[in-house]
Amino acid sequence: MLGKLSWSAIPFSQPIPMAASFVVIVVILATLAWITLKGHWPYLWNEWITSVDHKKVGVMYCALAFLMLIRGFTDAIMMRSQQALAFNAPGYLPPEHYDQIFSAHGTIMIFFVAMTFMIGLMNFVVPLQLGSRDVAFPTLNSVSLWLNAAGVLLVNMSLVIGEFGKAGWLSFPPLSELKYSPGVGIDYYLWALQISGIGTLLTGVNFVTTILKIRAPGMTLTRMPIFCWTSLASSLLMVAAFPILTATFAMLLLDRYLGFHFFTDSAGGNSMMYMNLIWAWGHPEVYILILPAFGVFSEVISTFSGKPLFGYRSMIIATMAICILAFGVWLHHFFTMGAGADVNGFFGIMSMIIAVPTGVKIFNWLFTMWGGRVRFEQPILWALSFMITFVVGGMTGVLLAVPPADFVLHNSLFLVAHFHNVIIGGVLFGAFAGYTYWFPKAFGFKLHEGTGKAAFWCWTIGFYVAFLPLYVLGLEGMTRRMQHYDVAEWRPWLLIAALGAVIILFGIGFQIAQLVISIRRREKLRDLTGDPWDGRTLEWSTFSPPPHFNFAVLPNITGAEAYWGIKQKAIEQRRLTDLPDYKPIEMPRNSPTGFVVAFFAVVTGFALIWHIWWMVIVGLVGAFATFVVFAWRDRSEFELPADELARIDGERRKARIGIVEGREKGITPVKYSGSHEEDPNRLGARAEPDGGHKGPASKRIVTGYGFWIFLLSDFILFSGFYAAYAVLSHATAGGPTPKLFDLKILAVETACLLLSSFACGMATIASNARNMLWTQIGYLVTGALGLGFLSLEISEFARMLAIGAGPDRSAFLSAFFALVGLHGLHVAIGLLWLGTMMAQIWAKGFRADIMRRGLCFALFWHALDIIWVGIFTNVYLLGTTP
Amino acid sequence: MSEHQDQSVGSDDAAPGDQEAGEHAVAAGVRNYLIGLALAAGLTVASFWVASGTGLIYPPGVPMALAALAIGQMGVHLAFFLHITTGPDNTNNALALAFGVMIVGIVIAGSLWIMYHMNTNMMLPSDM
């Protein structure tokens, strides 16, 4: 009934996790009780949990990241204190607990602090900077947030129920295989990251579509703020890299749950393939984290230097170069695994090349400040500390990119020091710069300065004290993840490092104090104009906090630094722009879909971890039903009347008069040329003031494009499985043989799928012509042929299992079943989707939103053919040729 | 939700999968799918035929021929079923596809290259 779950799952015998979870549970219960007593539930539910407003979603992401920073830091300070104590002694953390702590620390800090924080900032800022009212898919955005939260919940549940993984933050096999990690720890890790990974992928799809398709009129690509560019690059990397992670984890899960042999040390499994695939995700992941931070620094440095960013175009080129090069360096994480000199040399050089665009950025920031009037507010302090710290980290990175040097330093504390140097000094400082920079925009008041600066100095000094000793320790030969040691020379450095962690603790303390003090003194810190920093980009042209629709009228952009141009023109003319013509706008309605789906995701994940199969079915059915209910709703938007917009925008204009008339302190008027013309000779210059960009694309284009991006990520998912197949198919005796595959059945299967695709095309034409009968007939034939394909495939699998050629026999068969089965799973999902859609068309007719889904379904169904072409030729036909 | 939002007149952009709507949209559309089906079926038959070992193709060249036929057929599907064109209204869609194909290529080719090296250098020569 309850699978592997029993009372023994709760670690009663271990005092530290017990006490920690007791405290956590008490705090959660107290918070819930307080919310209930104060009657805040309706507010929370209506304004936050079900909100699809990108700004609130962004704030919730950042709040989640802060909470997880505290959890991750608790792990960190436990490790530092353990190593300070454990010289010739066991310390206070037993090995199996220590192993969980360093695994959880890495997992939480990367996935739920660094990435969550960056996604939060992207959510809050990007639509505002683009002059849009929301992201491309607002409800999907809420789904992403809550799936991420579901991952957080599962990881933290492992503290109380069961255990967490003990195989490091990337759970390398064979240690993470069932044979060596029989507990639920690795399963917690895998399912939590699979669920939150889906959320991240959807975020990537959402933001690529938002940035490319729904910018305000005149916001051409080369007028976008750099933060939007870095967010685009980061989102592209999410779309491209996360499917590889999903594929890799899926393979490990198949190994653990169904006895497959992808990475086992028997039957031809190859754990080196796991390292290869996981780092093909893992290195782009580093750039997913750092690129948005680069964007934050670009905004902050330009704003507080009072100058446009130096080398805007080179910044774009550098960003996109990093986006592509990020996929060509992954082997440098395993130079020592034994590839030859060619491979190591190639990836070493690529790793050094990627430092070039990063260097370009550093110089651009320096030149931006040069000659500017730098105001040393909190955000730019973080940026300055970043530039120094990150250069040090980058240099040690280039050192590690030299394969012979890496042979000495691999897995030593030198490496640990290096990546903390770039992740704390780069990503985390970027997050804090963004937090202090955009906080007044999000909440309408600035953060308290004194405590903020104290936090800044504690973090910066604490970082150096905590991590510079690790470089020394690495050079002295200390490896990472040591629970105890007996080398006397290491001890003093470890004590200094522990002191550094304590200084960082003070930094976090000051940050919490800053938040409390700022909220208490919010009236004094209030930002009345919406432009507290003399900003240059569009988010500063609206209220602080912005109304949920962002802009009453979409701004009309005529040049780079959109808001700066508008502002300077207004200051020079001493008047605001003419009163616009307000038109009613439509905004998306709130939806509990994200929260409910995430609830079922947690149920499913928990049930899978503990092998409670009936609950898995409950969770999956619940999640599917939630989507059907969402798809079925009749009203997805509400209208804001024009007079309401005029009233709200009137208040904004009133607050702005001070800026225009020069009564507002801290706003710099510059000599403004009057016309905001662009250099006609520059690349991409267009004669018309809107630069040829007419504004947001139609919903059909937005939906279709978003789904297209999702499909590409699906292709990449398949490429992960295909790569595994290509590597493993000949790893064992008994690879593909003509006996195994029945080509006659294969021919019928292929015919089914081809004709089904054709029928789907006919249905699309009929639905475009609004012909109900032929649409339904077309879809019915599509479904019937799809079902025929699926049943043939199932019978083929059954036949193979019956003759003992199951996935547990060899790595080849594992890869075969996974690759072909994944395609079959797609067909099955497509059939479910098709059935729902047919019912919906029948009930509701050819409504625009249903037609858009029809377009997506057609893309999906035709794409399955493309994948099948790859499979039937490369797997079946190639496998049967003599 | 309103209908007008889905019809952008004079747009220089198209949704992937949408065919150009013309006067004879239905007839042209059906013809397009029929051509696609015929080409795809032809290429599929050719693949099966090549794989059956006809002797017409130099045997070590069979994998190459299969790969070429597969890539050709994928192109047919993209052009005739998914309506990805090289037209200016499809630039974004084609660029996204190119990015995806590049990543797929990097993942597969990179994995094969790296794992080939690993297998040669690290695996025990016996019992494999």
Side-chain angles (χ1 to χ4, degrees):
Chain A
M1 185 68 187
L2 286 176
K4 287 157 74 178
L5 190 59
S6 69
W7 283 110
S8 63
I10 297 173
F12 289 113
S13 58
Q14 290 164 315
I16 296 170
M18 261 348 267
S21 34
F22 179 74
V23 172
V24 170
I25 290 170
V26 167
V27 169
I28 291 173
L29 286 180
T31 316
L32 293 181
W34 181 78
I35 294 170
T36 313
L37 280 180
K38 290 270 181 178
H40 285 325
W41 279 118
Y43 167 76
L44 266 186
W45 180 259
N46 294 324
E47 296 293 320
W48 293 94
I49 293 172
T50 62
S51 175
V52 298
D53 178 351
H54 71 94
K55 299 178 287 298
K56 287 184 174 160
V57 169
V59 168
M60 286 189 276
Y61 264 117
C62 291
L64 190 65
F66 250 122
L67 214 60
M68 283 300 103
L69 175 68
I70 293 170
R71 158 82 213 260
F73 181 76
T74 313
D75 292 334
I77 208 159
M78 283 169 86
M79 286 187 283
R80 280 284 134 261
S81 51
Q82 164 74 15
Q83 287 196 330
L85 295 172
F87 170 59
N88 275 335
Y92 68 103
L93 294 171
E96 67 275 9
H97 189 192
Y98 185 76
D99 293 354
Q100 290 183 43
I101 289 177
F102 67 66
S103 305
H105 170 78
T107 310
I108 288 175
M109 286 300 200
I110 294 287
F111 289 94
F112 301 125
V113 179
M115 205 161 58
T116 302
F117 216 125
M118 285 303 143
I119 291 176
L121 290 179
M122 274 166 59
N123 259 290
F124 184 82
V125 179
V126 165
L128 282 168
Q129 284 194 336
L130 294 175
S132 319
R133 295 208 169 95
D134 210 324
V135 292
F137 309 106
T139 311
L140 198 67
N141 203 24
S142 157
V143 172
S144 293
L145 165 74
W146 289 109
L147 286 181
N148 196 52
V152 167
L153 188 61
L154 281 175
V155 166
N156 285 287
M157 251 186 202
S158 71
L159 197 64
V160 192
I161 311 167
E163 54 167 13
F164 195 66
K166 288 179 254 184
W169 80 281
L170 281 182
S171 291
F172 288 154
L175 181 57
S176 57
E177 290 285 359
L178 201 58
K179 192 170 161 191
Y180 305 105
S181 295
V184 292
I186 302 290
D187 301 327
Y188 263 114
Y189 168 91
L190 290 170
W191 289 114
L193 293 188
Q194 287 293 55
I195 290 169
S196 72
I198 295 169
T200 310
L201 174 72
L202 295 178
T203 300
V205 169
N206 214 335
F207 276 83
V208 171
T209 315
T210 304
I211 296 170
L212 291 180
K213 292 293 173 187
I214 59 167
R215 305 184 305 273
M219 180 63 87
T220 59
L221 286 174
T222 49
R223 288 172 180 171
M224 289 199 308
I226 286 292
F227 184 72
C228 295
W229 269 105
T230 57
S231 298
L232 174 64
S234 180
S235 310
L236 281 171
L237 287 175
M238 287 180 207
V239 171
F242 265 80
I244 308 177
L245 182 76
T246 307
T248 317
F249 282 168
M251 291 177 210
L252 185 55
L253 283 166
L254 287 169
D255 276 7
R256 288 181 61 88
Y257 279 74
L258 297 172
F260 281 47
H261 289 287
F262 280 105
F263 312 124
T264 54
D265 47 11
S266 57
N270 189 342
S271 57
M272 293 191 290
M273 188 60 191
Y274 183 91
M275 319 294 167
N276 169 55
L277 284 176
I278 200 116
W279 286 115
W281 158 82
H283 202 83
E285 164 70 9
V286 176
Y287 291 98
I288 292 174
L289 300 178
I290 196 69
L291 283 172
F294 285 168
V296 174
F297 294 127
S298 301
E299 303 296 318
V300 163
I301 289 174
S302 154
T303 302
F304 291 97
S305 303
K307 275 176 68 188
L309 192 69
F310 182 91
Y312 170 78
R313 258 140 228 288
S314 64
M315 214 60 148
I316 296 174
I317 295 167
T319 303
M320 296 320 279
I322 292 175
C323 177
I324 305 289
L325 288 173
F327 272 99
V329 300
W330 77 90
L331 182 123
H332 70 208
H333 294 271
F334 47 97
F335 277 143
T336 54
M337 207 162 79
D342 301 356
V343 175
N344 278 1
F346 174 82
F347 282 95
I349 292 166
M350 287 299 286
S351 312
M352 290 177 222
I353 289 175
I354 205 166
V356 175
T358 318
V360 168
K361 284 171 175 261
I362 296 275
F363 284 112
N364 280 339
W365 292 319
L366 290 175
F367 285 130
T368 305
M369 290 198 295
W370 190 61
R373 223 179 292 161
V374 182
R375 288 169 284 146
F376 289 97
E377 301 267 3
Q378 296 172 57
I380 201 168
L381 289 182
W382 290 109
L384 290 174
S385 179
F386 149 77
M387 277 199 272
I388 298 159
T389 314
F390 194 79
V391 167
V392 176
M395 287 299 151
T396 57
V398 175
L399 183 59
L400 282 166
V402 181
D406 186 73
F407 268 79
V408 181
L409 298 168
H410 183 84
N411 257 359
S412 74
L413 283 187
F414 190 91
L415 168 80
V416 176
H418 157 69
F419 69 69
H420 283 88
N421 204 330
V422 283
I423 290 179
I424 295 181
V427 183
L428 207 58
F429 286 7
F432 294 153
Y435 163 69
T436 46
Y437 182 55
W438 282 304
F439 188 92
K441 183 47 64 187
F443 296 101
F445 56 95
K446 285 192 192 181
L447 282 167
H448 182 255
E449 185 144 355
T451 40
K453 287 189 172 168
F456 163 76
W457 285 112
C458 285
W459 265 100
T460 303
I461 296 169
F463 166 77
Y464 282 100
V465 178
F467 288 98
L468 290 188
L470 299 198
Y471 280 121
V472 181
L473 283 165
L475 292 170
E476 286 183 353
M478 182 170 178
T479 53
R480 67 200 290 201
R481 297 169 178 162
M482 293 181 88
Q483 189 259 345
H484 64 271
Y485 56 97
D486 54 7
V487 182
E489 296 85 68
W490 295 348
R491 187 96 202 269
W493 297 111
L494 285 166
L495 289 173
I496 298 173
L499 174 72
V502 174
I503 302 176
I504 292 177
L505 175 66
F506 277 98
I508 294 177
F510 276 121
Q511 282 177 314
I512 295 169
Q514 181 193 35
L515 196 59
V516 174
I517 293 173
S518 308
I519 292 171
R520 287 216 173 143
R521 300 190 191 162
R522 59 186 176 278
E523 291 312 323
K524 265 174 98 177
L525 295 162
R526 186 74 67 192
D527 161 33
L528 294 171
T529 60
D531 185 12
W533 309 118
D534 195 11
R536 316 176 78 84
T537 40
L538 278 175
E539 74 270 32
W540 306 108
S541 71
T542 180
F543 277 122
S544 299
H548 65 281
F549 50 81
N550 291 353
F551 304 100
V553 178
L554 286 190
N556 223 328
I557 286 109
T558 55
E561 300 207 300
Y563 171 56
W564 185 256
I566 296 168
K567 181 162 64 173
Q568 292 305 332
K569 195 172 168 189
I571 292 176
E572 192 165 86
Q573 299 177 345
R574 293 243 156 195
R575 65 186 200 84
L576 295 167
T577 47
D578 297 327
L579 202 64
D581 181 17
Y582 295 103
K583 291 198 184 80
I585 55 174
E586 280 171 339
M587 291 300 293
R589 283 153 58 96
N590 283 357
S591 165
T593 308
F595 188 77
V596 177
V597 165
F599 169 78
F600 285 116
V602 171
V603 169
T604 313
F606 186 79
L608 282 163
I609 290 162
W610 292 101
H611 296 215
I612 312 171
W613 306 119
W614 61 267
M615 212 159 111
V616 175
I617 295 166
V618 170
L620 289 177
V621 170
F624 177 69
T626 315
F627 276 121
V628 173
V629 170
F630 171 70
W632 222 264
R633 68 184 183 168
D634 286 325
R635 286 177 55 228
S636 59
E637 289 172 330
F638 64 96
E639 198 183 76
L640 274 156
D643 51 342
E644 172 76 359
L645 287 173
R647 186 186 64 74
I648 297 174
D649 205 43
E651 282 171 33
R652 180 188 71 90
R653 292 171 68 90
K654 221 189 294 172
R656 295 255 143 190
I657 291 173
I659 296 182
V660 174
E661 295 181 344
R663 280 186 275 115
E664 214 54 58
K665 268 187 280 179
I667 301 287
T668 332
V670 294
K671 185 129 183 62
Y672 183 67
S673 61
S675 68
H676 205 69
E677 271 169 24
E678 287 176 310
D679 175 7
N681 297 318
R682 73 160 176 77
L683 192 71
R686 301 274 288 258
E688 49 287 44
D690 67 7
H693 181 66
K694 307 287 178 215
S698 76
K699 279 195 170 176
R700 190 171 173 88
I701 293 178
V702 170
T703 310
Y705 191 72
F707 194 76
W708 184 230
I709 299 288
F710 173 77
L711 270 184
L712 295 176
S713 80
D714 213 23
F715 286 153
I716 296 167
L717 179 80
F718 272 100
S719 78
F721 278 95
Y722 181 73
Y725 177 81
V727 167
L728 297 176
S729 60
H730 292 285
T732 35
T737 52
K739 261 194 306 193
L740 208 55
F741 302 136
D742 188 340
L743 286 193
K744 281 197 201 79
I745 291 181
L746 178 71
V748 180
E749 280 178 346
T750 310
C752 273
L753 216 50
L754 262 179
L755 290 170
S756 168
S757 214
F758 178 75
C760 178
M762 293 304 104
T764 308
I765 290 175
S767 71
N768 284 337
R770 304 285 192 277
N771 186 319
M772 180 61 81
L773 181 67
W774 282 105
T775 306
Q776 294 286 4
I777 291 177
Y779 280 142
L780 205 64
V781 176
T782 308
L785 287 166
L787 207 60
F789 170 86
L790 202 59
S791 40
L792 279 175
E793 191 164 82
I794 290 170
S795 69
E796 188 203 0
F797 278 13
R799 181 180 59 81
M800 286 175 74
L801 288 173
I803 60 167
D808 50 349
R809 200 176 79 178
S810 73
F812 151 64
L813 283 166
S814 297
F816 166 80
F817 273 96
L819 178 64
V820 180
L822 182 68
H823 179 268
L825 183 69
H826 275 70
V827 174
I829 291 171
L831 289 174
L832 264 180
W833 182 2
L834 180 65
T836 322
M837 203 173 65
M838 282 168 73
Q840 213 175 6
I841 294 175
W842 191 257
K844 308 214 181 235
F846 294 106
R847 224 168 55 185
D849 60 331
I850 301 174
M851 296 281 284
R852 289 199 289 273
R853 272 174 231 144
L855 174 74
C856 296
F857 175 77
L859 283 171
F860 180 75
W861 204 249
H862 297 316
L864 288 188
D865 276 17
I866 295 185
I867 290 164
W868 182 249
V869 170
I871 291 177
F872 90 72
T873 51
N874 281 309
V875 174
Y876 287 92
L877 293 183
L878 204 59
T880 48
T881 45
Chain B
M1 194 66 40
S2 52
E3 204 74 8
H4 66 269
Q5 283 174 311
D6 277 28
Q7 312 293 333
S8 51
V9 186
S11 163
D12 55 354
D13 211 4
D18 261 350
Q19 272 182 298
E20 269 179 70
E23 253 178 77
H24 308 286
V26 174
V30 174
R31 198 176 59 224
N32 180 59
Y33 279 105
L34 275 172
I35 296 171
L37 182 67
L39 283 175
L43 285 164
T44 306
V45 171
S47 294
F48 274 85
W49 182 66
V50 165
S52 63
T54 50
L56 195 71
I57 289 176
Y58 174 56
V62 166
M64 238 352 146
L66 281 176
L69 286 168
I71 290 170
Q73 190 172 350
M74 287 175 182
V76 166
H77 284 260
L78 277 175
F80 290 93
F81 289 170
L82 288 118
H83 312 304
I84 299 299
T85 69
T86 51
D89 59 348
N90 250 298
T91 312
N92 268 326
N93 306 335
L95 266 180
L97 177 67
F99 180 72
V101 169
M102 182 191 77
I103 303 297
V104 167
I106 290 176
V107 170
I108 294 176
S111 296
L112 284 172
W113 188 40
I114 292 170
M115 293 312 292
Y116 171 75
H117 266 247
M118 296 292 178
N119 283 339
T120 355
N121 290 332
M122 299 305 292
M123 287 297 200
L124 293 173
S126 60
D127 75 60
M128 285 312 298

